[in-house]
């Protein structure tokens, strides 16, 4: 409930894309051998794949968070499209992990601060003498600060600090004054549900092999049954 509903207007007009005569790539649910072949058949140069590579051992995601996320996904953790999470207003799909900012209680307890500022927006600040200057604001910063800069109170509701959350995802959580440690906010695409049937450790090369149709995903139980007990120390190429 409360998730955005997508319709025909959200679909790319591939005929018009082809008419431009420029290379294009398809993304959003295209991370599969079938998705790649479909994209190529539609005239695309290839596909953009985010989620599968994000959870591979070559990505910049904190390894502990990656392992825990995969474990909870296999246990049934859900994925929610949050229309309010980003201060930009762009919907983000958030993995529902209890120890992250996806937890409403932990979100409410966090002290709002905008100290990285990658997603700030520019606005015009009028001066008292008739002049003005360009200022920067973020809907995830302290509410009174945002409103003082001309932002609306409504725009602050439910906004999460993606900058700090994504830094924590990469294993670099900021420690704020008073010792408050910033928590992760794990965003993923729909393909994250597929990983419930994959081994916990797989490389970027494994993902490429899978997308090319050369190998199939393999669960941890399958790996153990075929003698791959030490998946932490042995390369998985060819055994995805």
């Amino acid at each position: 409930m409360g998730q955005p509903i997508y319709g025909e207007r959200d679909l790319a007009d591939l005929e018009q894309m082809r008419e431009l005569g420029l290379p294009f790539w398809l993304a959003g649910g295209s991370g599969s051998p079938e998705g790649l072949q479909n994209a190529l058949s539609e005239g695309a140069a290839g596909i953009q794949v985010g989620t599968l590579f994000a959870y591979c051992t070559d990505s910049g995601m904190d390894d502990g968070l990656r392992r825990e996320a995969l474990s909870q996904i296999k246990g049934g953790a859900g994925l929610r499209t949050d229309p309010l999470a980003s201060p930009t207003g762009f919907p983000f799909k958030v993995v529902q992990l209890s120890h992250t900012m996806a937890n409403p209680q932990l979100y409410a307890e966090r002290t709002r601060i905008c100290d990285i500022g990658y997603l700030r927006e520019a606005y015009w600040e009028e001066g008292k003498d008739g002049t003005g200057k360009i200022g920067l604001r973020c809907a995830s910063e302290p509410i009174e600060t945002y409103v003082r800069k001309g932002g609306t109170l409504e725009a602050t509701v439910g906004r999460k600090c993606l900058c700090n959350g994504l830094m924590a995802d990469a294993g670099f959580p900021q420690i704020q004054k008073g010792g408050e440690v910033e928590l992760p906010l794990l965003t993923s695409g729909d393909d994250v549900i597929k990983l419930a049937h994959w081994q916990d450790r797989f490389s970027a090369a494994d993902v490429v092999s899978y997308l090319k149709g050369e190998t199939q995903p393999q669960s941890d139980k399958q790996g153990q049954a075929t003698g791959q007990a030490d998946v932490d120390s042995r390369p998985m190429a060819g055994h995805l």
Side-chain angles (χ1 to χ4, degrees):
M1 295 182 64
Q3 301 197 51
I5 297 176
Y6 298 101
E8 292 185 3
R9 294 183 62 185
D10 297 292
L11 299 176
D13 189 327
L14 299 183
E15 183 175 352
Q16 289 191 5
M17 294 296 295
R18 290 189 291 268
E19 290 177 356
L20 291 175
L22 298 173
F24 64 93
W25 288 257
L26 296 186
S30 297
S32 67
E34 296 77 18
L36 174 58
Q37 293 305 315
N38 178 67
L40 294 176
S41 68
E42 292 286 357
I47 57 176
Q48 176 185 331
V49 181
T51 299
L52 300 184
F53 285 114
Y55 283 86
C56 78
T57 53
D58 298 301
S59 80
M61 186 185 299
D62 178 76
D63 192 59
L65 176 63
R66 183 185 62 80
R67 288 176 180 241
E68 182 175 358
L70 288 173
S71 176
Q72 293 201 31
I73 289 167
K74 292 178 180 181
L79 184 71
R80 179 176 182 270
T81 302
D82 190 338
L84 301 177
S86 172
T88 66
F90 188 82
F92 269 77
K93 294 180 182 292
V94 179
V95 183
Q96 301 300 292
L97 303 179
S98 61
H99 73 293
T100 70
M101 294 305 295
N103 183 326
Q105 181 178 346
L106 295 180
Y107 161 73
E109 293 174 352
R110 177 183 179 269
T111 302
R112 293 176 72 116
I113 186 172
C114 180
D115 56 353
I116 298 181
Y118 294 146
L119 299 178
R120 291 182 295 178
E121 63 178 7
Y123 72 99
W124 185 254
E125 184 178 338
E126 295 287 352
K128 294 182 180 180
D129 56 356
T131 62
K133 63 179 181 179
I134 294 176
L136 296 172
R137 66 190 180 198
C138 176
S140 294
E141 67 186 345
I143 296 175
E144 61 276 11
T145 302
Y146 183 72
V147 173
R148 186 175 68 248
K149 294 177 179 179
T152 64
L153 180 63
E154 292 78 12
T156 67
V157 177
R159 302 300 185 189
K160 299 175 177 63
C161 183
L162 282 182
C163 294
N164 271 298
L166 297 180
M167 286 289 287
D169 288 349
F172 301 102
Q174 292 207 109
I175 302 177
Q176 305 294 358
K177 293 181 179 179
E180 183 177 356
V181 180
E182 293 287 356
L183 297 176
L185 182 65
L186 191 56
T187 63
S188 297
D190 289 331
D191 281 348
V192 73
I193 305 302
K194 295 180 182 178
L195 297 178
H197 307 292
W198 288 40
Q199 287 189 7
D200 284 343
R201 297 184 67 82
F202 55 91
S203 68
D206 292 326
V207 176
V208 172
S209 179
Y210 160 69
L211 294 174
K212 293 169 65 177
E214 298 172 348
T215 56
Q216 289 296 316
Q218 188 175 46
S219 69
D220 290 316
K221 291 182 178 180
Q222 289 175 315
Q224 292 170 5
T226 56
Q228 294 175 296
D230 188 12
V231 295
D232 285 0
S233 60
R234 295 175 56 182
M236 282 183 53
H239 297 285
L240 186 56

